[in-house]
Structures are given as C-alpha cells and as structure tokens.
Amino acid sequence: MLSQIVGPVDFNSAAVLCVAFICLSAVASLAVTRRSRLALDQELELAKIRLRNEDEASKRQTDAKRDYELARMASEREIEFKRIDTNLITSHARVASE
C-alpha cells in the first residue's frame, strides 16, 4: 500500500518514511496532550475560584445569621430591662396572702 501512495520504495526509504511518520505522530500527540493539560489546569483554577467564592458566601451568611441573633438577643435584653424598670417584672416573687 505504501508503494501505491509513494511509489517504488526500498528498505532505506521505507525506514525514513516510518521514522518521519512516528515523529509526526509524537509531535501531534504531544500537542493534543498539552492543550488538554492546559484545559485541565484552567478548569482546576475555575473550580478553586468557585470553591473560594462559595466559602466566602457561606462565611458571609454565617456572619449575617450571627449578627441577626446577637441583635435579637440584645433587643430582647433591652425589652426585659424596660419591663424591670417599669415594674412589670419584679426581682422577688410575691407570696400569696392567706
């Protein structure tokens, strides 16, 4: 089949053609591998960025929830102090008279 494509070929010419084909194949496979490696590296960096963003978002959400709870507790505390100040709540229990 090689003789149909190239023409009459002796052993040395066939060896040179085979080596050239092997070199071209190696270069092509390296180029494909390198491009896919670059794509994988880019995907890895994107995944790292996404994880970092998710971590920051969850941290912000946790901080907001904590701030909300602290504000709620502070407002409840203020309400209780106001009740004590207006004598709605006393610090000692009243004993029922018999």
Side-chain angles (χ1 to χ4, degrees):
M1 183 169 164
L2 183 62
S3 63
Q4 291 175 354
I5 296 171
V6 181
V9 181
D10 62 348
F11 179 76
N12 293 333
S13 300
V16 169
L17 286 173
C18 288
V19 169
F21 178 74
I22 290 170
C23 289
L24 289 176
S25 298
V27 169
S29 66
L30 285 174
V32 169
T33 304
R34 185 170 189 173
R35 286 185 186 155
S36 64
R37 175 177 276 182
L38 288 174
L40 287 175
D41 288 343
Q42 290 174 350
E43 287 180 26
L44 179 64
E45 289 301 319
L46 287 174
K48 286 180 183 178
I49 291 169
R50 283 187 199 115
L51 283 175
R52 195 174 310 124
N53 288 343
E54 288 174 4
D55 287 345
E56 290 174 2
S58 67
K59 183 180 178 185
R60 281 192 303 267
Q61 185 179 10
T62 303
D63 290 345
K65 191 175 185 180
R66 185 185 66 240
D67 291 344
Y68 171 77
E69 289 296 322
L70 287 173
R72 186 181 60 80
M73 288 172 39
S75 65
E76 287 177 359
R77 184 176 173 198
E78 288 296 319
I79 291 170
E80 291 298 320
F81 283 150
K82 296 273 185 192
R83 285 183 182 167
I84 291 171
D85 289 343
T86 58
N87 291 327
L88 292 176
I89 299 175
T90 58
S91 60
H92 24 313
R94 294 184 186 195
V95 179
S97 306
E98 292 184 24

